[in-house]
Amino acid sequence: MSDANETIAILGGTGDQGLGLALRFCRAGRRVIIGSRKAERALEAAENVRKQVEGADVEGLGNEEATAAGEIVILSVPFEHTASTVKTIKASLREGQIVVSMTVPLATAVGDGALRTVGIWQGSAAELVQSLVPTGVEVVSAFQNVSAHRLQHLADSVDCDVVVSGPKAARERVMALCPLVPGLRALDGGPLSNARIVEEMTALIIGLNIRHKCPEGLGIRFTGLPQGEAG
Amino acid sequence: MSDANETIAILGGTGDQGLGLALRFCRAGRRVIIGSRKAERALEAAENVRKQVEGADVEGLGNEEATAAGEIVILSVPFEHTASTVKTIKASLREGQIVVSMTVPLATAVGDGALRTVGIWQGSAAELVQSLVPTGVEVVSAFQNVSAHRLQHLADSVDCDVVVSGPKAARERVMALCPLVPGLRALDGGPLSNARIVEEMTALIIGLNIRHKCPEGLGIRFTGLPQGEAG
């Protein structure tokens, strides 16, 4: 079970996927801080969430203040802004916090297309983030393959598995967040290095969305899990 | 629709996954040639298929003879034997044939574990195979993520999507094979280079099988496809 007192900060919570998670976590009754480089954009996004989710416990802050306010800090910024964002918030991070990397190194970051990725020296975007955070902060990889459209469409189930990778205790805390969102199920993705595979899957899914004409975005499910293991 | 007159050769059809495909294609009434380095092992495997599938149209041959006999040649050999197998059959391949690569460059090939892969210079095992076949032979990537256990368990649905990548016409011929197996659905995986991602997914699934205690092997499904698009 997820700790209901845990505050979730979502940096880049003004973007499609971050906003979708903010809506869903607020709907589950969790306290959410939306972070943005520009605090006024974060305030607007928080207002947007409040309009859609009655009684939402949500606030908008600059990225550094949002980081300081969260126990779990979800990085939902485009890959090209990921390293710079982590450097900006580094002084605000403290031991025991969890940073969740959901970015994918799509080749759009270097002016190429979204059906391909760029190679990351550390192995994955999540491991790049891990290399940048202070000691005592743990990085977990999750949520890359969850469609922003589905997250924002509050009436529907998201219908997607989330492969969560990272150090065991931190990974389990992030896995516990998944069932807060109807239709999200967490799978144990093992060590952070498996983010190498999970991140790439997003590029594959974007291509499948185009070839199979699914603008709202495909989800992914693993079949054959033991009965009752539903996140 | 798949052309029922097409003969399917399965090299390495004595192994778990190749044998599983042989059983399933025979059950669908298709003619299958099982190939092996040692013809006697191929004969044994063919006999095994005949015992399980009444009226199976199956034969066992050496890899070169099997290659010559097939319109579609499925390579189901461990990664460490893939390049050498393609070199062995090269003289038997002819223009218009399709070679299906289902191998995954698991790090077991170099004495490391199955939860990791080795990097392939050409990008993927499928692209390595493409670099080795004669001009006019087309390579398609498919079936990597289908559990051998599920394929062999003929009473059950395989319950897995197959992402098929390669040149369009060849890819469509391989996609047409999938619905021959109950529970297999083909997705259009685009160009062969996407095998880079699909192959890696196998290593992720092997880890999930262990962590979630699914010795029979998980499958994968994409959710949100347009209604009726069931391969």
Side-chain angles (χ1 to χ4, degrees), chain A residues 150 159 187-190 197 200-201 204-205 208 211-212 214 216 218-226 229, chain B residues 150 159 187-190 197 200-201 204-205 208 211-212 214 216 218-226 229:
Chain A
R150 292 187 187 209
D159 201 9
L187 268 79
D188 182 346
I197 304 174
E200 299 283 309
M201 285 165 61
L204 183 70
I205 290 173
L208 290 168
R211 289 186 296 274
H212 287 273
C214 302
E216 67 289 352
L218 295 175
I220 195 162
R221 284 286 191 205
F222 293 88
T223 62
L225 281 164
E229 193 169 342
Chain B
R150 292 188 187 209
D159 200 9
L187 268 80
D188 182 347
I197 304 173
E200 300 283 308
M201 286 165 61
L204 183 69
I205 290 172
L208 290 168
R211 289 186 297 275
H212 287 272
C214 301
E216 66 289 352
L218 295 175
I220 194 163
R221 284 287 190 203
F222 292 89
T223 62
L225 281 164
E229 194 170 342

Side-chain angles (χ1 to χ4, degrees), chain B residues 36-58:
Chain B
S36 179
R37 276 182 294 179
K38 297 182 179 173
E40 61 271 26
R41 292 204 54 214
L43 281 168
E44 278 169 33
E47 188 52 39
N48 180 350
V49 171
R50 265 189 297 267
K51 272 185 197 148
Q52 293 186 64
V53 180
E54 208 187 308
D57 185 1
V58 62

Side-chain angles (χ1 to χ4, degrees), chain B residues 57-77:
Chain B
D57 185 1
V58 62
E59 205 174 330
L61 293 171
N63 278 336
E64 291 159 82
E65 295 73 26
T67 299
E71 274 84 41
I72 294 184
V73 179
I74 300 179
L75 269 177
S76 177
V77 295

Side-chain angles (χ1 to χ4, degrees), chain B residues 56-106:
Chain B
D57 185 1
V58 62
E59 205 174 330
L61 293 171
N63 278 336
E64 291 159 82
E65 295 73 26
T67 299
E71 274 84 41
I72 294 184
V73 179
I74 300 179
L75 269 177
S76 177
V77 295
F79 175 66
E80 57 271 35
H81 300 135
T82 295
S84 59
T85 301
V86 177
K87 287 172 189 170
T88 305
I89 63 166
K90 192 170 178 179
S92 308
L93 286 166
R94 60 182 182 279
E95 202 171 320
Q97 273 180 315
I98 294 173
V99 172
V100 179
S101 173
M102 57 187 289
T103 193
V104 172
L106 296 177

